[in-house]
Amino acid sequence: MKAADSIIHARWVIPVSPTSQVLENHSLIIQQDKIIDILPSAEAKAQYQSDQQYHLTDHALIPGLVNCHAHAAMSLFRGLADDLPLMSWLQEHIWPAESKFVSPSFVEDGTRLAIAEMLRCGTTCFNNMYFFNQQEADICQQAGIRASSGLPVLEFPTAYASGPDEYFEKGLAHIDYIKDMPLVTATWAPHAPYTVSDVSFEKVAELSAKYQMPIQLHLHESKQEIEDSIKQFGVRPQERLTRTGIINKYLQAVHFTQATEQEIEQLAAAGASMVHCPESNLKLASGFAPIGRLQKAGINIAIGTDGAASNNDLDMIGEMRTAAMLAKAVAEDATALSASEALYAATMGGAKAMHLDDKIGSLEVGKFADIAAINLSDLECQPMYNPISQIVYAVSRHQVSHTWVAGRCLLNERQLTSDCLNQSELVSIATQWRDKIAQ
Amino acid sequence: MKAADSIIHARWVIPVSPTSQVLENHSLIIQQDKIIDILPSAEAKAQYQSDQQYHLTDHALIPGLVNCHAHAAMSLFRGLADDLPLMSWLQEHIWPAESKFVSPSFVEDGTRLAIAEMLRCGTTCFNNMYFFNQQEADICQQAGIRASSGLPVLEFPTAYASGPDEYFEKGLAHIDYIKDMPLVTATWAPHAPYTVSDVSFEKVAELSAKYQMPIQLHLHESKQEIEDSIKQFGVRPQERLTRTGIINKYLQAVHFTQATEQEIEQLAAAGASMVHCPESNLKLASGFAPIGRLQKAGINIAIGTDGAASNNDLDMIGEMRTAAMLAKAVAEDATALSASEALYAATMGGAKAMHLDDKIGSLEVGKFADIAAINLSDLECQPMYNPISQIVYAVSRHQVSHTWVAGRCLLNERQLTSDCLNQSELVSIATQWRDKIAQ
């Protein structure tokens, strides 16, 4: 008998790579932070022993979900301003609230609330874009969730920095700050074409190449962005950005609801990823991302929730479902983004976009043990013809029973285990922020 | 002190009529099957006594959700065939499976599974379209849920009837069968323009007027339906149906993704209702219903889940959310179908379409006590700026804690109370059907 740190026996194991595979009555063997074996449960019981065994008789294991676009701390603005278009939502509500309230303690508290919500829906890694990266990284490391800190770049001042020079300075300092944090990486995060100058984009492109870091960018989010760019620069944003060197394999084009065939071909040729945030695009009336066309062009598609202020949750189970359903009507093709493809986008797609696909995104020997377990025994999932179909089209996030990151169980039978994620404390902190903000 | 059968004390009460109102710390007083008073909890405690009191300190009460379009028994086909267009899904998968398996016992078992799912998401009334109405009505009455049996009309034979004459004969017999059932009404349910003849539509119009009964019809569900009608009849379906007298105040136009301005004006002038099934329309790539335009025309909008075979659930909380989000992107107007309007559509809108709005659809004195309680204490609903926003945009169905129909508590702290809705028995029955059907 071989010793293991923990063993998870499950009714179904869905590795995602290879796509569509469903293993029945299999077990995952975990040693330290890695998956070291995947085999039939009968063989696992004969070959391995561990003091920590999970017997998940009604559950499917999937790779932990990768939320590829979030503004975690904005959870404290959830439901503050609804039913408004993108620009008035930003200019009249969100930016004023941010300028008044965003601070290190806001980021600490909001990020904690967000991490708790994400772990409770099976998300094990998130790609964030916000301010006060040190506080954010510290909280992720304490909570035990994997994340990438988006290093913000903007032309205008915020509570975090006075202008582009200071954003870059703080970004570079942050790369150094996280160098010994095993769970946290960093991404350059120029906010959007309409808030970042060509000079800053050029600098981002240069630093991204130098440090081999992904670039997260709101790109072609709405028609208005395109129209404004044509007015101001004479060209669509993507064409303008091409000149700055930013359209490359490190780019994560977030939202991307507006796209010509040529623009799609260019993204595909560059090896860039697209990050789909369907619910934010719907709720803010930003538009419909052409997922079917992007799939046909072979572009890697990831899924993100966007911030809870626009969406209004960080529920990757729901986002995956919306993505799968919406793609069909937009493409006028009910085969677009199938259940398997949606699950792939929500796991491996995100891992690829983050350049972490050698480490996470699928349940494979040698990868980190980032895993979610979903209880499929509820009557809402019956009859069980196909677990992948039920997970994408019928499950809701409350059925996620367990979440592990790097082998550590952070959600156990729906209970958060991290000391820094006490549920009643989080609710009470959120209420205190509401009392301040709602005034 | 006045005696009451039961009293529900709640942190928030959202009556829906008047729209947008949120009462804090109020109580509902229930006597027999009706709401007899709504007042501040302090006053309720001073004025009323009851042995049955619910203290819902973190909850919002809303009117029970009205699922205005379902094929309940089809829950047994949930996930049988996904990622397929409407016509191949129907012709190659659903109709063959129906012709092989649909029977009185299929309808009994499938309807029970569906009712359990609906009560667990706060649905207290559903507008059904399926076969074997007697079995369906018996199960609804036993389970205690409110429903309307759609009396099917088709030109072709099914396991239920040999052709139009027998459908009408069985429909008329059913009106008699349910006359002493307080929870069950009936609706004429001609399936669709492409499966029902002009003669049958004329007869439906006549019988609907005679019995003052609503008419449930899949209308303008997809582009293909329009194109086929133009080929076969030379006109679009709505124009053809106008001649049969069926476009009137009793009509429930289900799906209605395709609409000219003139067609919208005609529906509005007729006082017909539109039943929106956004998730089915997305998943089958049927199209986008023009909710913003229908709202502007003043048409009553209801919401339905469609059957779990296409959608793949009967979750009205999720459907309401999808409706609210999707309407904005389709209208290119983020103010379309606000949170309050979506909640109205999912309650009063359905009640109006079913011609039951004098009895259900809102929390008002004199109406039936059809109520759902939603626990808003989860961290996914924090901070709490506005309960209506959180219910529509952030809640998921597992937060529904209680459901009452006609004053009877059918879901109590997430547990179904009806003898005929035993959860483990339902899962086991569904599994037996799967074993037969999946072969």
Side-chain angles (χ1 to χ4, degrees):
Chain A
M1 296 286 275
K2 291 172 270 185
D5 284 340
S6 51
I7 304 178
I8 314 173
H9 308 286
R11 176 77 177 84
W12 296 281
V13 174
I14 300 168
V16 168
S17 177
T19 317
S20 303
Q21 189 181 53
V22 180
L23 305 169
E24 289 202 51
N25 296 311
H26 271 58
S27 301
L28 259 67
I29 316 296
I30 298 169
Q31 188 67 18
Q32 293 186 332
D33 50 8
K34 298 267 172 52
I35 299 168
I36 60 161
D37 206 349
I38 301 175
L39 70 176
S41 295
E43 292 175 30
K45 285 168 190 166
Q47 293 181 31
Y48 290 95
Q49 60 186 16
S50 175
D51 293 340
Q52 182 64 69
Q53 302 205 27
Y54 302 87
H55 297 273
L56 304 181
T57 49
D58 296 307
H59 304 59
L61 299 183
I62 61 171
L65 298 166
V66 178
N67 186 344
C68 206
H69 183 64
H71 306 283
M74 291 181 82
S75 291
L76 292 174
F77 296 138
R78 184 203 316 275
L80 176 65
D82 290 314
D83 304 325
L84 296 165
L86 177 64
M87 283 302 156
S88 61
W89 175 79
L90 271 178
Q91 290 167 358
E92 291 156 36
H93 298 269
I94 296 303
W95 287 343
E98 285 188 329
S99 78
K100 194 154 178 195
F101 295 106
V102 173
S103 66
S105 69
F106 178 96
V107 169
E108 278 173 13
D109 291 343
T111 306
R112 275 211 283 164
L113 179 64
I115 291 171
E117 180 178 357
M118 288 194 271
L119 291 171
R120 278 162 55 94
C121 76
T123 297
T124 55
C125 178
F126 69 106
N127 194 31
N128 207 46
M129 183 192 270
Y130 214 59
F131 307 103
F132 297 101
N133 295 125
Q134 293 192 2
Q135 283 74 13
E136 176 187 287
D138 287 346
I139 292 287
C140 292
Q141 198 60 40
Q142 277 171 37
I145 196 168
R146 196 179 302 282
S148 184
S149 279
L151 311 176
V153 177
L154 288 157
E155 299 308 313
F156 57 81
T158 60
Y160 183 55
S162 58
D165 289 349
E166 195 178 359
Y167 289 111
F168 281 111
E169 190 184 301
K170 291 201 163 171
L172 290 167
H174 191 66
I175 296 171
D176 189 56
Y177 185 76
I178 61 171
K179 66 178 188 298
D180 297 323
M181 293 188 176
L183 294 170
V184 180
T185 55
T187 300
W188 288 104
H191 173 264
Y194 52 90
T195 48
V196 179
S197 69
D198 286 4
V199 171
S200 295
F201 276 122
E202 282 163 11
K203 192 157 179 186
V204 166
E206 181 193 312
L207 291 170
S208 154
K210 177 173 172 187
Y211 291 95
Q212 305 192 352
M213 278 167 58
I215 302 164
Q216 189 175 177
L217 169 69
H218 297 110
L219 181 64
H220 291 201
E221 181 168 0
S222 68
K223 266 191 204 165
Q224 193 182 332
E225 176 188 332
I226 308 283
E227 289 162 8
D228 291 351
S229 174
I230 291 172
K231 262 186 224 158
Q232 194 180 346
F233 300 101
V235 289
R236 292 162 63 93
Q238 187 170 329
E239 185 176 341
R240 176 181 147 232
L241 295 194
T242 302
R243 302 176 197 157
T244 69
I246 213 170
I247 312 290
N248 60 47
K249 68 174 179 177
Y250 291 115
L251 181 66
Q252 302 161 352
V254 184
H255 297 297
F256 206 62
T257 70
Q258 312 294 316
T260 63
E261 284 311 308
Q262 200 189 344
E263 287 166 346
I264 290 175
E265 280 165 31
Q266 190 199 7
L267 275 202
S273 289
M274 182 272 186
V275 183
H276 186 31
C277 303
E279 296 187 358
S280 166
N281 296 343
L282 293 177
K283 184 157 176 286
L284 297 170
S286 304
F288 300 100
I291 295 300
R293 289 160 61 206
L294 297 169
Q295 281 191 293
K296 282 187 186 142
I299 292 173
N300 177 53
I301 296 165
I303 296 178
T305 58
D306 211 348
S310 59
N311 171 11
N312 291 358
D313 61 33
L314 304 173
D315 173 11
M316 277 293 288
I317 297 271
E319 204 77 35
M320 178 166 66
R321 182 165 186 260
T322 302
M325 292 195 301
L326 183 64
K328 296 165 179 38
V330 172
E332 299 190 20
D333 173 3
T335 68
L337 207 65
S338 68
S340 292
E341 290 166 345
L343 180 60
Y344 186 95
T347 52
M348 274 300 283
K352 283 185 176 177
M354 296 177 75
H355 289 244
L356 294 174
D357 50 309
D358 57 335
K359 299 184 179 70
I360 62 167
S362 57
L363 300 179
E364 290 183 88
V365 172
K367 284 199 174 180
F368 285 119
D370 288 13
I371 308 160
I374 303 175
N375 186 333
L376 298 177
S377 67
D378 277 6
L379 59 86
E380 284 81 359
C381 289
Q382 309 308 322
M384 179 57 69
Y385 294 103
N386 177 344
I388 295 178
S389 166
Q390 302 297 34
I391 288 168
V392 174
Y393 295 123
V395 155
S396 78
R397 59 173 156 181
H398 285 72
Q399 290 165 254
V400 173
S401 61
H402 297 73
T403 306
W404 293 263
V405 179
R408 185 175 161 207
C409 186
L410 298 178
L411 185 76
N412 191 355
E413 300 287 1
R414 298 288 305 144
Q415 296 306 308
L416 293 164
T417 64
S418 289
D419 289 340
C420 74
L421 300 177
N422 178 290
Q423 295 193 47
S424 57
E425 187 197 350
L426 288 172
V427 171
S428 149
I429 289 171
T431 305
Q432 289 165 28
W433 278 104
R434 181 209 57 192
D435 292 344
K436 279 189 239 178
I437 295 167
Q439 281 186 338
Chain B
M1 295 286 275
K2 293 173 269 187
D5 285 339
S6 50
I7 304 178
I8 314 173
H9 308 286
R11 176 78 177 82
W12 296 281
V13 173
I14 300 168
V16 168
S17 179
T19 317
S20 303
Q21 190 180 52
V22 180
L23 305 169
E24 287 203 54
N25 296 311
H26 270 58
S27 301
L28 260 67
I29 316 296
I30 298 169
Q31 188 66 17
Q32 293 186 332
D33 51 8
K34 299 266 172 51
I35 298 167
I36 61 162
D37 207 350
I38 301 175
L39 69 176
S41 295
E43 292 175 29
K45 284 169 190 164
Q47 292 180 31
Y48 290 95
Q49 60 187 15
S50 174
D51 294 341
Q52 182 64 70
Q53 303 204 26
Y54 302 86
H55 296 273
L56 305 181
T57 48
D58 295 308
H59 304 62
L61 299 182
I62 60 170
L65 298 166
V66 178
N67 185 344
C68 206
H69 183 63
H71 307 283
M74 292 181 81
S75 290
L76 292 174
F77 296 138
R78 184 203 317 273
L80 177 64
D82 290 314
D83 304 325
L84 296 166
L86 177 63
M87 283 300 157
S88 61
W89 176 78
L90 271 179
Q91 291 167 358
E92 291 157 36
H93 297 269
I94 295 304
W95 287 344
E98 285 188 329
S99 78
K100 195 156 177 193
F101 295 106
V102 173
S103 65
S105 68
F106 178 96
V107 169
E108 279 173 14
D109 292 343
T111 306
R112 276 210 282 164
L113 180 63
I115 291 171
E117 181 178 357
M118 287 193 274
L119 291 171
R120 279 163 55 94
C121 75
T123 297
T124 54
C125 178
F126 68 105
N127 194 32
N128 206 46
M129 183 192 270
Y130 214 60
F131 306 104
F132 298 102
N133 296 124
Q134 292 192 3
Q135 283 75 13
E136 177 186 286
D138 288 346
I139 292 287
C140 292
Q141 199 59 42
Q142 279 171 38
I145 197 168
R146 197 178 302 282
S148 184
S149 279
L151 310 176
V153 177
L154 289 157
E155 298 308 313
F156 57 80
T158 60
Y160 182 56
S162 58
D165 290 349
E166 195 178 0
Y167 288 111
F168 281 111
E169 190 184 301
K170 290 201 161 168
L172 291 166
H174 191 66
I175 294 172
D176 190 56
Y177 185 77
I178 61 172
K179 67 178 189 296
D180 297 324
M181 293 187 175
L183 294 170
V184 181
T185 54
T187 300
W188 288 104
H191 174 263
Y194 53 89
T195 48
V196 179
S197 70
D198 286 4
V199 171
S200 295
F201 275 122
E202 283 162 11
K203 193 160 178 184
V204 166
E206 181 193 311
L207 290 169
S208 154
K210 178 173 171 187
Y211 291 95
Q212 303 190 353
M213 277 166 58
I215 302 164
Q216 188 175 178
L217 169 68
H218 297 111
L219 182 65
H220 291 199
E221 183 168 0
S222 67
K223 265 190 203 166
Q224 194 181 333
E225 177 189 332
I226 308 282
E227 288 162 9
D228 291 351
S229 173
I230 291 171
K231 265 185 219 155
Q232 194 180 346
F233 300 103
V235 291
R236 291 162 65 93
Q238 187 170 327
E239 184 175 344
R240 177 181 147 232
L241 296 194
T242 301
R243 303 175 196 158
T244 69
I246 213 170
I247 311 291
N248 59 48
K249 68 173 179 177
Y250 292 116
L251 181 66
Q252 300 160 353
V254 183
H255 295 297
F256 206 63
T257 69
Q258 311 295 315
T260 64
E261 284 311 308
Q262 199 189 345
E263 287 165 346
I264 290 175
E265 281 165 27
Q266 190 198 7
L267 276 202
S273 289
M274 182 271 185
V275 184
H276 186 31
C277 302
E279 296 187 358
S280 167
N281 296 344
L282 294 178
K283 185 158 176 284
L284 297 169
S286 305
F288 299 100
I291 295 301
R293 289 160 60 206
L294 297 168
Q295 282 191 292
K296 281 186 187 146
I299 292 173
N300 177 53
I301 296 166
I303 296 177
T305 58
D306 210 351
S310 58
N311 173 8
N312 291 351
D313 61 33
L314 304 172
D315 172 12
M316 277 293 288
I317 298 271
E319 204 77 34
M320 178 165 66
R321 181 165 187 261
T322 302
M325 292 194 300
L326 184 63
K328 297 164 179 37
V330 172
E332 299 188 20
D333 173 3
T335 67
L337 207 66
S338 68
S340 292
E341 290 165 343
L343 181 59
Y344 187 95
T347 52
M348 274 300 283
K352 283 185 176 177
M354 295 176 75
H355 289 244
L356 293 174
D357 49 308
D358 56 334
K359 300 183 179 68
I360 61 167
S362 57
L363 300 179
E364 291 182 87
V365 171
K367 284 200 174 180
F368 284 120
D370 289 14
I371 307 160
I374 303 174
N375 186 333
L376 298 177
S377 67
D378 277 5
L379 59 87
E380 284 81 0
C381 290
Q382 308 309 321
M384 178 58 68
Y385 294 102
N386 176 344
I388 296 178
S389 166
Q390 302 296 35
I391 288 169
V392 174
Y393 294 122
V395 154
S396 78
R397 58 173 157 181
H398 286 72
Q399 290 166 252
V400 173
S401 61
H402 298 72
T403 306
W404 294 262
V405 179
R408 186 174 159 209
C409 185
L410 298 178
L411 185 77
N412 191 354
E413 300 286 2
R414 298 287 307 143
Q415 296 305 306
L416 294 163
T417 64
S418 290
D419 290 342
C420 74
L421 300 178
N422 178 289
Q423 294 194 48
S424 58
E425 188 197 352
L426 289 172
V427 172
S428 150
I429 289 170
T431 304
Q432 288 164 31
W433 278 104
R434 181 208 56 192
D435 291 344
K436 280 190 238 177
I437 295 166
Q439 280 187 339

